[in-house]
Amino acid sequence: MKTIEMINARARKPEWSMAEPVNFCMEEGEHIAIVGRNGAGKSMFVAMLTGRHPAFPDMVKYSFEEPYNNLKHITFRDTYGGDNDRTYFLQQRWNQMEIDEETPTVGSKLEEAYQLAGEDTPVRRALQKHIYELFHLEPLLDKYIILLSSGELRKYKLASSLFTAPKVLIMENPFIGLDATTRDQLKELMAMLTKEQGLQIILVLAKSDEIPDFITHIVEVKEMRVMPKVNSEQWIMDRYDYQIHTENKGLQGNHNYQLSTINYQLNEVIRFNHVSIRYGERTILKDLDWTVKRGEHWSLSGENGSGKSTLLSLVCADNPQSYACDISLFGHKRGSGESIWDIKRHIGYVSPEMHRSYKQNIPAIQIVASGLKDTIGLYVRPNEAEKEQCRKWLEKLGIGQLANRNFMEMSSGEQRLVLLARAFVKEPDLMILDEPLHGLDLENRKMVKQLVDDYCKNPDVTLIFVTHYQEELPSCIDHALYLERH
């Protein structure tokens, strides 16, 4: 029995079209992974499957009568939260004192989702309890939704969708932003749901090396073409036998980067002396001592909610609590007269939170140019020399052809490469890369890692690299800080 079927689906408008008509079917009992390069058309294909694509009305046949209730679609991105600046501001945990007491908690919103999903039965309550236990949601139930870390919010969103007991669950990049333990838990939960609940799952993955064992078939999207469905075991075997050659356009030529001039004192870039951060009853950082010297390359890791984002907010001068802590940046103690912009002009930065901030549908070259001014939007028109610098870094990241394409018209992976160009464009002394490879396919991950290694050959470059994947760390890493969750 076919759960989903599309036959010769073609858009009515060329600008929304796949290169060829799409034929696809999902048989009962199958679980499918959709894979492909950044910008290949994976999200467009999912929009077709879910009936959300504006040019594909009524081209999908389902085996169930009510697609709205039986087909659930979740997109997990680096971005999180609402669509307005106020929500984004409140999400920053260092501004917790300004939250209204009526703001919903995790527990209240999950219970609301549970009640809306169907009749309250012992079987459904047992499933709810199992989800809470598996994802360690109990400690979060009293926490405000807007204060969840990106990894914690993914657990919440998944739990909300699973309460509806859908027939088919489509998830885009479900593992992005999750630590290793939580990724394993998510795979375990999905496998359990396929066996015990009869749920069919479609995963859309940028990391094609992260396909769970329960996946039965692979559909690859190449250059706006949906390839025929193939057996997953054979596809994975063929994939690993294939030697991938990455065309590292950005790694050729002269790499004498001109770092910004800075008056280093004591050869220290960062010094934390017994730094503690608390919000209400929750301790985020406890008595942290940390010194980063010029030219060191640090990995920063820890479970979701362990305080990595809070730590980086202190380094980037975004957290007002830094003035109450014993923190020195570039040899200057916080509060000794330097401005936020004095600090930021020496830092290149990319993060999931930054990705969320960019909602302007402006050309990529303007996004990159905003890195020269340390702004989220570009308020000063770049001169020709600055435009050339922006183009140089877009080329280094292999996306020079995207310079004039609007940001919101790109895939999530293409957007991430643009934001990486923004971080590198002023060739900063301190590079902070928070989950920089999220949403990138294998070839682009290899390219970016090599570019980071190349940039860090300059003995004055200092690096902080955040990732939940050990294999994503560049080879230049020589120090490590692991944060424990309190």
Side-chain angles (χ1 to χ4, degrees):
M1 180 179 179
K2 293 179 174 61
T3 304
I4 301 176
E5 184 177 25
M6 300 176 64
I7 300 176
N8 291 326
R10 179 183 287 276
R12 295 175 180 171
K13 298 182 180 181
E15 62 269 27
W16 290 324
S17 180
M18 285 287 184
E20 298 172 351
V22 177
N23 292 286
F24 169 82
C25 74
M26 183 181 193
E27 302 283 351
E28 187 173 338
E30 290 181 346
H31 309 288
I32 295 173
I34 299 172
V35 300
R37 295 292 308 273
N38 297 132
K42 299 188 297 295
S43 293
M44 181 182 291
F45 179 40
V46 170
M48 295 167 63
L49 291 177
T50 57
R52 295 182 297 107
H53 197 294
F56 289 89
D58 305 321
M59 290 189 178
V60 188
K61 295 181 180 179
Y62 306 104
S63 64
F64 33 82
E65 294 182 359
E66 298 181 1
Y68 178 79
N69 294 323
N70 290 289
L71 178 70
K72 292 297 180 181
H73 173 230
I74 314 175
T75 300
F76 294 92
R77 301 187 185 277
D78 290 318
T79 62
Y80 60 89
D83 294 327
N84 57 75
D85 291 338
R86 177 63 178 169
T87 300
Y88 177 60
F89 174 77
L90 289 174
Q91 278 185 294
Q92 308 311 302
R93 290 185 296 278
W94 41 92
N95 288 314
Q96 181 170 352
M97 68 287 295
E98 301 197 19
I99 295 175
D100 192 298
E101 291 183 358
E102 295 183 1
T103 301
T105 63
V106 174
S108 65
K109 294 299 290 184
L110 284 176
E111 182 60 26
E112 179 182 324
Y114 173 86
Q115 295 293 341
L116 290 173
E119 183 182 356
D120 188 3
T121 66
V123 173
R124 292 190 64 240
R125 281 295 180 188
L127 175 61
Q128 179 192 41
K129 181 179 179 181
H130 183 73
I131 293 171
Y132 283 2
E133 291 175 349
L134 196 56
F135 280 85
H136 303 289
L137 286 173
E138 289 91 342
L140 302 179
L141 295 181
D142 293 331
K143 190 176 181 181
Y144 292 126
I145 288 286
I146 57 178
L147 298 181
L148 295 179
S149 70
S150 55
E152 291 169 337
L153 188 63
R154 284 162 172 80
K155 299 179 187 179
Y156 158 77
K157 289 178 64 178
L158 180 60
S160 297
S161 294
L162 292 177
F163 291 160
T164 65
K167 302 295 185 183
V168 177
L169 180 62
I170 301 177
M171 293 183 282
E172 295 192 49
N173 293 318
F175 307 115
I176 196 169
L178 299 181
D179 56 56
T181 299
T182 307
R183 291 197 303 271
D184 290 341
Q185 292 172 347
L186 177 54
K187 292 176 183 179
E188 177 186 342
L189 177 60
M190 288 191 292
M192 182 274 290
L193 292 171
T194 62
K195 294 178 180 178
E196 298 181 10
Q197 307 296 322
L199 177 68
Q200 289 187 256
I201 292 178
I202 298 176
L203 302 182
V204 185
L205 301 173
K207 286 173 64 67
S208 56
D209 51 348
E210 204 167 45
I211 298 172
D213 292 339
F214 67 83
I215 292 295
T216 61
H217 293 80
I218 308 294
V219 172
E220 190 166 3
V221 183
K222 295 181 178 180
E223 299 178 346
M224 295 298 173
R225 290 177 171 84
V226 178
M227 300 294 106
K229 181 176 62 179
V230 298
N231 178 273
S232 60
E233 291 184 2
Q234 185 60 51
W235 187 90
I236 292 171
M237 184 179 301
D238 293 343
R239 184 69 171 175
Y240 286 124
D241 287 342
Y242 176 67
Q243 180 64 40
I244 296 175
H245 298 284
T246 304
E247 183 183 2
N248 288 325
K249 297 179 181 179
L251 303 178
Q252 302 170 359
N254 190 351
H255 303 302
N256 294 321
Y257 301 119
Q258 301 297 316
L259 302 186
S260 59
T261 57
I262 189 167
N263 180 23
Y264 283 102
Q265 297 182 15
L266 304 176
N267 208 37
E268 290 180 353
V269 179
I270 302 168
R271 175 179 285 275
F272 283 24
N273 185 31
H274 300 300
V275 170
S276 296
I277 300 292
R278 290 178 58 86
Y279 298 110
E281 299 298 319
R282 190 180 182 203
T283 298
I284 306 298
L285 298 174
K286 183 177 181 180
D287 210 24
L288 176 64
D289 290 313
W290 187 39
T291 300
V292 177
K293 295 183 179 181
R294 179 175 55 181
E296 293 181 344
H297 310 133
W298 284 78
S299 71
L300 173 61
S301 58
E303 295 182 351
N304 297 127
S306 61
K308 299 184 296 298
S309 295
T310 298
L311 184 150
L312 295 181
S313 75
L314 296 169
V315 174
C316 293
D318 292 324
N319 192 322
Q321 289 205 34
S322 61
Y323 292 99
C325 299
D326 188 354
I327 297 174
S328 295
L329 301 174
F330 304 108
H332 298 281
K333 188 170 182 178
R334 288 306 318 273
S336 61
E338 84 291 358
S339 72
I340 289 177
W341 307 111
D342 290 332
I343 296 170
K344 287 183 178 293
R345 65 192 176 95
H346 303 296
I347 299 175
Y349 183 51
V350 69
S351 71
E353 289 77 11
M354 175 178 289
H355 200 155
R356 181 256 174 258
S357 300
Y358 276 94
K359 291 295 187 182
Q360 302 96 329
N361 198 27
I362 59 177
I365 194 168
Q366 293 187 33
I367 298 288
V368 178
S370 71
L372 296 168
K373 313 298 181 183
D374 299 308
T375 61
I376 295 299
L378 182 61
Y379 305 106
V380 179
R381 186 180 298 275
N383 57 39
E384 285 304 314
E386 291 171 332
K387 287 182 180 179
E388 186 59 31
Q389 180 77 349
C390 294
R391 292 189 188 98
K392 180 184 78 171
W393 279 102
L394 287 168
E395 289 289 344
K396 285 181 178 294
L397 285 154
I399 50 172
Q401 75 281 5
L402 299 181
N404 296 316
R405 183 179 298 178
N406 287 338
F407 190 70
M408 300 305 292
E409 296 170 6
M410 302 177 193
S411 71
S412 180
E414 291 169 333
Q415 290 177 348
R416 176 49 52 93
L417 291 173
V418 171
L419 293 178
L420 281 164
R422 179 193 183 278
F424 278 100
V425 69
K426 62 182 174 182
E427 298 178 5
D429 311 273
L430 173 60
M431 183 66 74
I432 299 177
L433 303 178
D434 184 358
E435 306 285 8
L437 307 186
H438 271 185
L440 298 186
D441 57 50
L442 179 59
E443 289 85 350
N444 280 328
R445 296 203 309 272
K446 290 173 61 178
M447 179 268 292
V448 171
K449 282 176 61 177
Q450 188 170 346
L451 184 60
V452 172
D453 277 329
D454 186 69
Y455 186 76
C456 288
K457 289 178 181 177
N458 187 309
D460 289 327
V461 168
T462 306
L463 173 70
I464 300 174
F465 194 103
V466 183
T467 181
H468 288 301
Y469 296 86
Q470 189 70 22
E471 68 272 15
E472 289 187 349
L473 291 173
S475 60
C476 66
I477 295 296
D478 47 29
H479 293 74
L481 175 64
Y482 182 88
L483 296 181
E484 299 282 352
R485 185 166 55 190
H486 297 285

